[in-house]
Amino acid sequence: MSTSEAIRADAARLLAEGRAKLVIGYRARGPHRAPAFVSDPAGVDVLIYDNLCKQNLAVYLRKPEVRSRGPVAVVAPPAVMRSLVVLAAESQLTEATVLAVGPDAYHGVLDLAGAAALLKEKYADLAPSPELLEALAKLDAMSPQERARFWTDQFAKCTRCYACRAACPLCYCARCIVEKNVPQWISTAAAQHGNFAWQIIRAFHQAGRCTLCGACEAACPQGIPLMLLNLALSEEVAKQFGEKPGYDPAAKPVIGSWKPDDDQGFVR
Ligand code: SF4
Ligand code: SF4
């Protein structure tokens, strides 16, 4: 049985038994993949899974229109399962039914605790792609001036469409800082000053929370290498705090916690 067939069978069973009222998975839309919202066991045939499925479907779980139709089951590869664990750690999710997909295996239906256990057992060492690691090594080898020029050129392309924000399950503030205008913290014009502020604030708010799912970069119409920024900060968090988010639903996020022995060398 293929992964897509196994997902369809489990989705139909969950819906028929009432264990889920809605299954969120992937469907084909031309050569692309789009989210599928299935509430009838007879409708599961649209569900597919392959390596074109890039969207992080955990993004829908906090939406009131989805919550009101729960219980919801979601198709989740490891990075999406990690997002669910982060959302639970941040008290944004208390339970989830997960149709757990691995790179080479389908793991069936799990609850949140089961997904966290699976991640620790089988996906503790998820590595970024070799291309991304190579790009980060190149960035690290640049002088500070070269690196500043690189990001200035990249951020100049940003049109402030916020598709990256909409694609990320961890960007869930009811009102984002870029939309606050009394006082206005960040210029909303798609120009250098505001673009830098937006990109840096987005990246820092994700530091120690980002699960490197790639959904933000896949959504960016300008081709800005957001994963490079995400990975640079993830590596720094791992180095400074020894934290890897998305494995422990009880873990406190680095950005929202502190320890007395945290390095305070930055205080001058
Ligand atoms: S910042 Fe991007 S890569 Fe990180 S969790 Fe959000 S969508 Fe995924
Ligand atoms: S999706 Fe791309 S262009 Fe749009 S706000 Fe995000 S970084 Fe800028």
Side-chain angles (χ1 to χ4, degrees), residues 23-49:
V23 173
I24 309 177
Y26 301 91
R27 65 188 299 159
R29 185 189 286 157
H32 305 292
R33 301 294 175 257
F37 299 84
V38 182
S39 54
D40 183 343
V44 298
D45 285 352
V46 297
L47 295 170
I48 59 166
Y49 189 80

Side-chain angles (χ1 to χ4, degrees), residues 79 127-129 131-133 135-136 139 151 164 199 202 210-220 223-235:
S129 70
E131 297 77 25
L132 188 56
L133 288 170
L136 184 61
L139 194 69
W151 284 119
C164 50
Q199 294 289 351
R202 189 200 71 83
C210 172
T211 64
L212 299 175
C213 72
C216 51
E217 183 173 298
C220 176
I224 298 171
L226 298 174
M227 286 299 287
L228 200 47
L229 199 51
N230 297 335
L231 180 61
L233 283 170
S234 291
E235 301 263 292

Side-chain angles (χ1 to χ4, degrees), residues 255-267:
I255 197 168
S257 59
W258 67 281
K259 298 188 190 107
D261 58 349
D262 281 346
D263 181 6
Q264 303 195 17
F266 67 95
V267 181

Side-chain angles (χ1 to χ4, degrees), residues 2-268:
S2 72
T3 298
S4 297
E5 287 166 339
I7 289 172
R8 283 177 212 139
D10 274 338
R13 192 165 46 81
L14 288 171
L15 292 168
E17 291 172 359
R19 288 169 61 199
K21 294 245 165 48
L22 182 70
V23 173
I24 309 177
Y26 301 91
R27 65 188 299 159
R29 185 189 286 157
H32 305 292
R33 301 294 175 257
F37 299 84
V38 182
S39 54
D40 183 343
V44 298
D45 285 352
V46 297
L47 295 170
I48 59 166
Y49 189 80
D50 59 23
N51 58 11
L52 297 175
C53 297
K54 302 274 188 219
Q55 192 178 349
N56 188 327
L57 300 176
V59 76
Y60 296 106
L61 295 185
R62 291 191 69 267
K63 297 199 183 294
E65 56 272 40
V66 168
R67 282 189 162 187
S68 66
R69 295 179 63 188
V72 180
V74 63
V75 175
V80 177
M81 278 187 259
R82 286 179 65 194
S83 301
L84 298 173
V85 172
V86 174
L87 288 171
E90 296 180 358
S91 307
Q92 299 301 315
L93 201 64
T94 48
E95 57 185 35
T97 303
V98 183
L99 295 160
V101 191
D104 307 309
Y106 176 60
H107 300 289
V109 179
L110 301 172
D111 61 11
L112 205 48
L118 176 74
L119 285 167
K120 279 188 196 151
E121 187 194 329
K122 295 220 179 281
Y123 301 110
D125 297 319
L126 281 176
S129 70
E131 297 77 25
L132 188 56
L133 288 170
E134 194 184 324
L136 184 61
K138 272 192 197 156
L139 194 69
D140 284 344
M142 290 179 188
S143 69
Q145 291 76 14
E146 288 169 331
R147 211 160 30 242
R149 172 51 47 202
F150 172 83
W151 284 119
T152 301
D153 291 345
Q154 294 299 330
F155 295 164
K157 296 189 256 173
C158 178
T159 56
R160 309 291 287 282
C161 67
Y162 305 128
C164 50
R165 183 182 67 181
C168 179
L170 306 177
C171 262
Y172 55 71
C173 292
R175 197 161 164 227
C176 177
I177 192 166
V178 284
E179 271 128 25
K180 290 188 179 165
N181 53 9
V182 185
Q184 185 178 58
W185 293 92
I186 301 176
S187 163
T188 52
Q192 185 175 346
H193 184 66
N195 283 7
F196 248 91
W198 157 239
Q199 294 289 351
I200 288 169
I201 286 173
R202 189 200 71 83
F204 269 79
H205 282 187
Q206 303 295 11
R209 304 171 64 234
C210 172
T211 64
L212 299 175
C213 72
C216 51
E217 183 173 298
C220 176
Q222 296 299 100
I224 298 171
L226 298 174
M227 286 299 287
L228 200 47
L229 199 51
N230 297 335
L231 180 61
L233 283 170
S234 291
E235 301 263 292
E236 200 56 37
V237 165
K239 197 164 81 190
Q240 301 242 2
F241 301 99
E243 295 287 342
K244 205 168 170 191
Y247 288 92
D248 180 1
K252 290 193 177 144
V254 164
I255 197 168
S257 59
W258 67 281
K259 298 188 190 107
D261 58 349
D262 281 346
D263 181 6
Q264 303 195 17
F266 67 95
V267 181
R268 290 162 207 256

